[in-house]
């Protein structure tokens, strides 16, 4: 490989620095700093560090300076173990702006980094050496075929470098096309090897190289192009040290061209035609890469937007959980006071009219519901059967005879004649029932039955399982706890009146959800909303959001209505009661079904 001497530019002198400092504030644009070739030494050293990862070699000397000895943008000298790069590859960046040692910095100069990757591929895979006395023309042909072979071999170990190798094709191929060292048919064959060879190793796409493929088929003929294609694909399968196979394929390359050249006419403007076709390939490649980058940027932006949205949703849910905890703490207070939506006491908004002793019918209904809940919560024992070659267990005579037969035949016995059955009791799921009763003026008829139902459910849950919990909240503008999520059943029935206005169902559901853990699986969960659902749009939207969260978590939500003009609250199971007195039975049935469905 020929080398060219390079005359370095002079470094700045103290006089130059003084002149620049003198005119620093004269109002003109700031003077551009002058860089000595020595400023590129650091860039070359950092490229050497990255080349260790790219090539797997630690014995390479890397230089980066304006201009190269070989005259090419970059070159690898196998005998010297040296790689040189032209600093102009990084234009318009200055040396102080280039930091190859930082992973990811190469994204700012992809074309230059593609050349670095290409030379790293040569350093890693161009390890075969030409024997003494080899035909120079054959060696040049082998080096031509080597270009796509090393890039294909590099992609096997580092497939993510494909993007950079694509961007480097224009830098590496176009100078050879514009200033060819080969003429005529050999020039067209060289272009086919450089472009179509990269297509066959996966650097370029078939659609992108269509212009060169069509032109080379027209100039070389379909038969010769097929022969050349077979040869460069054969070199792609050669080992890195296999000089004999490389030179053999190169010899066949030269023989094929010599045999076909006399019969093939050479267009007068072949160089221009090849340059135009390669330009089309490079433009198509650039367009594809730009589209891929745009798609990747769009996907990245979409993922970032999705992550931001998810983070906002998580923050919003966390805020809702904190607000629900504060609401539950204020509602389920020990003084049984009514609270405002912000948790402050509201003594004048209390709907409680008093308490009374439970009737015999209510006590009987609580006992029946307790028995029904225990029956629904019962789970059969699970059986696990295992076999073994030795006791304990029940002896299976068929398996015992099979084991004796296997032993008599001289084979390893695999039959296991003993069967052991292990029975385990399944845990009984607890019950969580939350009741939200609307005490606005339109719900006066439901107050007495729901108060009775709240006591019945709370009493039955306490008699069924010590881990079961129930709670009842009366809501209008304010929130009042009629029963609380405690271990003990209430002694008396709390009666309420319906004289309120507005509907603060959203906060009531938040309090019940947090107090009873209705969103957590592992228990029979039921939420009963006794309301006519004649709300404002904002009240409905807030309530529906909470209902959707609970149903998504697996909690059953039942809406009981007693008026014909009632509305359906979206997301709930609607049950219209013609007789308000049937509310306790309806709630008991729903609670039984909820615990029966629990797994």
């Amino acid at each position: 490989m020929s080398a060219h001497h390079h005359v370095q530019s002079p470094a700045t002198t103290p006089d130059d620095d003084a002149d620049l400092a003198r005119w620093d504030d004269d109002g003109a644009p700031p003077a551009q700093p002058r860089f000595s070739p020595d400023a590129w030494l650091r860039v070359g050293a950092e490229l050497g560090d990255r080349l260790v990862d790219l090539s797997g070699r630690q014995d390479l000397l890397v230089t980066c300076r304006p201009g190269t000895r070989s005259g090419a943008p970059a070159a690898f000298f196998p005998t010297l173990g040296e790689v040189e790069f032209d600093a102009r590859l990084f234009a318009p960046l200055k040396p102080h702006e280039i930091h190859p040692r930082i992973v990811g910095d190469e994204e700012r100069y992809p074309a230059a980094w593609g050349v670095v990757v290409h030379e790293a591929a040569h350093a890693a895979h161009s390890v075969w050496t030409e024997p003494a006395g080899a035909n120079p023309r054959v060696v040049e042909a082998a080096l031509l075929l080597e270009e796509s072979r090393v890039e294909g071999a590099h992609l096997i170990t580092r497939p993510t470098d494909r993007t950079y190798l694509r961007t480097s094709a224009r830098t590496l191929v176009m100078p050879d096309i514009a200033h060819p060292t080969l003429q005529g048919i050999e020039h067209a064959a060289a272009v086919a090897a450089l472009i179509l060879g990269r297509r066959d190793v996966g650097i370029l796409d078939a659609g992108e190289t269509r212009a060169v493929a069509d032109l080379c088929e027209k100039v070389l003929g379909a038969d010769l192009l097929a022969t050349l294609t077979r040869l460069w694909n054969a070199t792609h399968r050669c080992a890195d040290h296999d000089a004999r196979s490389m030179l053999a394929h190169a010899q066949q390359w030269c023989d094929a061209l010599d045999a076909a050249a006399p019969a093939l006419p050479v267009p007068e403007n072949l160089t221009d035609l090849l340059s135009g076709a390669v330009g089309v390939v490079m433009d198509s490649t650039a367009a594809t890469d730009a589209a891929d980058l745009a798609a990747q940027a769009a996907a990245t932006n979409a993922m970032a937007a999705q992550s931001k949205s998810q983070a906002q949703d998580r923050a919003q849910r966390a805020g809702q959980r904190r607000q629900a905890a504060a609401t539950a703490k204020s509602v389920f207070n020990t003084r049984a006071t009514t609270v405002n939506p912000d948790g402050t006491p509201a003594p004048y908004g209390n709907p409680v009219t008093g308490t009374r002793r439970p009737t015999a019918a209510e006590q009987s209904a609580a006992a029946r519901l307790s028995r029904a809940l225990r029956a629904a919560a019962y789970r059969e024992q699970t059986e696990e059967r295992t076999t073994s070659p030795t006791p304990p267990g029940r002896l299976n005579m068929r398996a015992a005879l099979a084991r004796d037969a296997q032993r008599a035949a001289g084979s390893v016995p695999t039959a296991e004649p003993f069967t052991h059955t292990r029975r385990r009791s399944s845990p009984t799921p607890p019950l969580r029932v939350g009741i939200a009763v609307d005490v606005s003026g339109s719900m006066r008829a439901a107050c007495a039955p729901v108060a009775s139902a709240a006591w019945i459910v709370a009493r039955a849950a306490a008699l069924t399982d010590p881990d079961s919990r129930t709670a009842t909240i009366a809501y209008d503008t304010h929130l009042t706890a009629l029963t609380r999520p405690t271990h003990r059943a209430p002694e008396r029935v709390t009666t309420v009146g319906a004289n309120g206005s507005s509907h603060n169902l959203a906060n009531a559901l938040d309090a019940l959800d947090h107090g009873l853990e209705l969103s957590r699986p592992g228990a029979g969960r039921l939420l009963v909303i006794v309301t006519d659902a004649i709300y404002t749009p904002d009240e409905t939207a807030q309530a529906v959001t909470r209902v959707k969260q609970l149903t998504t978590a697996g909690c059953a939500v039942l809406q009981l209505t007693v008026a014909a003009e009632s509305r359906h609250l979206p997301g709930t199971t609607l049950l219209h009661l013609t007789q308000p007195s049937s509310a306790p039975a309806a709630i008991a049935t729903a609670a039984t079904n909820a615990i029966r469905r629990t797994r």
Side-chain angles (χ1 to χ4, degrees), residues 19-20 25 29 57 73 91 105 130 149 199 235 269 289-291 298 302 352 362 392 412 415 441 464 583:
D19 290 340
L20 290 173
D25 56 353
R57 293 181 56 172
D105 190 64
E130 59 185 87
R149 188 193 74 85
R199 174 201 64 188
T235 61
N269 57 342
D289 291 342
V352 176
E362 290 171 337
V412 177
T464 302

Side-chain angles (χ1 to χ4, degrees), residues 270-560:
L270 179 59
T271 300
D272 295 337
L273 293 175
L274 291 173
S275 297
V278 173
V280 171
V281 172
M282 296 298 107
D283 292 342
S284 177
T285 302
T288 302
D289 291 342
D292 290 344
L293 287 176
Q296 183 178 359
T300 301
N301 293 335
M303 292 181 61
Q306 183 180 7
S307 299
K308 182 178 180 181
S309 176
Q310 291 175 349
Q312 292 175 347
D313 291 343
R314 289 193 296 269
Q316 184 178 4
R317 288 195 296 269
Q320 290 177 353
R321 287 194 296 270
R322 290 192 295 269
Q323 180 62 35
T327 302
K329 181 178 180 181
S330 62
V331 172
F332 298 122
N333 58 79
T334 56
R335 298 184 302 276
T337 58
T338 300
V339 297
N340 291 308
D342 59 359
T344 58
Y348 300 104
N350 196 332
V352 176
T353 59
T355 61
R356 62 173 176 81
R357 295 180 61 84
T359 64
E362 290 171 337
Q363 292 177 348
S364 177
R368 289 195 304 271
L369 178 57
S370 176
R371 290 192 295 271
L373 292 177
R374 280 196 294 269
Y378 176 75
R379 299 293 184 269
E380 294 288 345
Q381 289 183 334
T382 59
E383 292 186 355
E384 180 183 356
R385 295 189 178 187
T386 58
T387 59
S388 65
T390 58
R394 183 174 182 177
L395 179 62
N396 185 326
M397 290 305 300
R398 177 177 295 179
L401 293 175
R403 187 175 180 85
D404 291 341
Q406 290 172 345
R407 187 181 293 110
S411 60
V412 177
T414 58
E416 297 180 340
F418 292 93
T419 303
H420 178 67
T421 303
R422 177 180 297 178
R423 295 177 177 84
R424 295 181 179 179
S425 298
S426 300
T428 301
L431 180 65
R432 302 282 190 270
V433 178
I435 303 175
V437 54
D438 182 358
V439 291
S440 60
S442 60
M443 292 296 296
R444 189 173 290 110
C447 289
V450 172
S452 176
W455 184 89
I456 292 172
V457 173
R459 180 69 176 176
L463 294 174
T464 302
D465 191 321
D467 291 332
S468 296
R469 301 282 188 277
T470 66
T472 305
I473 293 179
Y475 69 91
D476 50 6
T477 303
H478 312 98
L479 303 177
T480 306
L482 304 184
T483 61
R484 292 164 183 77
T486 60
H487 295 279
R488 300 178 58 184
E491 297 291 338
R492 301 174 66 84
V493 179
T494 303
T495 59
V496 294
N499 299 309
S501 60
S502 300
H503 310 87
N504 191 13
L505 177 57
N507 284 347
L509 298 185
D510 285 342
L512 290 171
D513 183 13
H514 185 272
L516 297 173
E517 297 181 332
L518 295 178
S519 297
R520 178 177 295 182
R525 295 164 290 157
L526 173 66
L527 173 64
V528 180
I529 305 173
V530 185
T531 179
D532 54 12
I534 303 177
Y535 299 165
T536 65
D538 289 342
E539 293 171 343
T540 301
Q542 294 177 10
V544 169
T545 299
R546 270 62 169 194
V547 169
K548 183 178 179 181
Q549 292 173 351
L550 290 170
T551 55
T552 302
C555 177
V557 181
L558 175 67
Q559 178 190 354
L560 298 183

Side-chain angles (χ1 to χ4, degrees), residues 148-149 151-152 155 162 166 169 191-214 216-217 225-226 228-230 232-233 236 281:
S148 59
R149 188 193 74 85
E151 291 193 0
L155 280 188
R162 177 178 183 265
R166 286 168 58 85
V191 171
L194 293 174
I195 299 298
L196 304 184
R198 284 179 167 86
R199 174 201 64 188
D200 292 344
V201 296
I203 302 295
L204 303 178
D205 296 333
E208 297 167 344
T209 60
R210 180 69 61 188
V212 169
D214 292 343
C216 289
E217 183 176 0
L225 182 59
L228 300 181
T229 302
R230 177 181 57 80
W232 70 58
N233 279 303
H236 295 164
V281 172

Side-chain angles (χ1 to χ4, degrees), residues 128 135-147 182 186 190 193 232 235 246-247 249-255 257:
W128 59 272
N135 186 342
R137 183 176 176 228
V138 175
V139 173
E140 286 298 325
L143 293 177
L144 175 67
L145 299 173
E146 181 77 356
E147 291 294 301
L182 301 174
E186 292 190 1
W232 70 58
T235 61
M246 287 296 300
L247 293 176
H249 294 318
Q251 182 64 57
Q252 295 174 20
W253 177 279
C254 295
D255 293 342
L257 291 177

Side-chain angles (χ1 to χ4, degrees), residues 16 32 35 38 94 99 218 240 288 297 302 318 321 326 368 450 514 527 537 541 565:
D16 294 334
Q32 295 297 324
F35 294 101
D38 294 340
K94 305 301 181 183
H99 303 280
K218 186 180 300 183
D240 295 341
T288 302
R321 287 194 296 270
R368 289 195 304 271
V450 172
H514 185 272
L527 173 64
E565 64 274 9

